[in-house]
Amino acid sequence: MNIFANKVAIITGGASGIGKSICTYLAQHGSLVVIADCNLDGALETEAFVTANGGRGQAVHVDISNPQEMKDLIENTAKQYGQIDFLFNNAGISVNGEFQDISLEQWKKILDVNLWGVIYGCYYVYPIMIRQGFGHIINTASLAGLIPGGLTTSYSSSKHAVVGFSLSLRSEAKQYGIKVSTLCPGYLRTNIQNTTLNVSEYLNSEKNKKMNQSMNFLTPDDCIGQIMSGVKKNKGIIVAPNKHKVYWWMHRALPEFIPNMFYRIIRQMKSNI
């Protein structure tokens, strides 16, 4: 059964990475996709790709950290198409580096986008879905929202908050026929690696750059089937690729293992200057 046929879906961060893969998948399976991104040129490219392959898409510029823009995005979509079946709160940003090197302004920006952007999306779509009596919200957190991660304190904090918020909302939303899932992607090769600022200088050494580039990460397209299978099954937490669940299981069984692993990685990276 194709649950995505003739549905209306909003995807934030749809210009690239996981968001673009979600847009492409949904369009191929019959959904009309609203491709929301602060990078309008990228969103238009996704729209062109979707329509060239027989799908239906609409690119929209939006800053998800701006509540009025999120309100307009969601209310205009509902008005134009009569319903919203899926909201993928997917857009996100990151900053890499030690806690002592991350400014308060950077902390605020991370939380404004990664946490408040999700909250705004849910806040404005929720009453619409209650009136409809149906809908599915999928909030993108990260594997970093399930396990700790050195050099990503701000990012990991925001993603842990998204996991807690989404699971709590899931318990409330069910009574109204609304589904809430949390997408926790593992280590994937996306545009976020190219746009993330390294605020601790040693992360910019040639050895550390080469080490990052040499890692054999999968792409979103490699595991989009796993992601959308989790959506179809209405899973509370969706981890993809599946093999990265081992880190989550390991952290629950041995809470000190992953912090100590990152401690060793950080020491190695500092020696690579």
Side-chain angles (χ1 to χ4, degrees), residues 60-85:
V60 179
H61 177 273
V62 65
D63 173 2
I64 69 166
S65 68
N66 183 316
Q68 186 62 51
E69 291 192 24
M70 286 297 287
K71 183 176 188 285
D72 291 344
L73 167 70
I74 289 167
E75 292 186 352
N76 289 343
T77 299
K79 183 177 180 180
Q80 184 174 356
Y81 299 111
Q83 65 190 61
I84 299 174
D85 298 280

Side-chain angles (χ1 to χ4, degrees), residues 8 10 74 77-78 82-87 125 128-129 132 134-135:
V8 177
I10 299 173
I74 289 167
T77 299
Q83 65 190 61
I84 299 174
D85 298 280
F86 296 95
L87 171 63
V125 86
I128 293 170
M129 289 185 171
Q132 294 175 167
F134 63 86

Side-chain angles (χ1 to χ4, degrees), residues 32-43:
L32 184 149
V33 294
V34 178
I35 307 150
D37 206 293
C38 62
N39 175 8
L40 182 58
D41 289 340

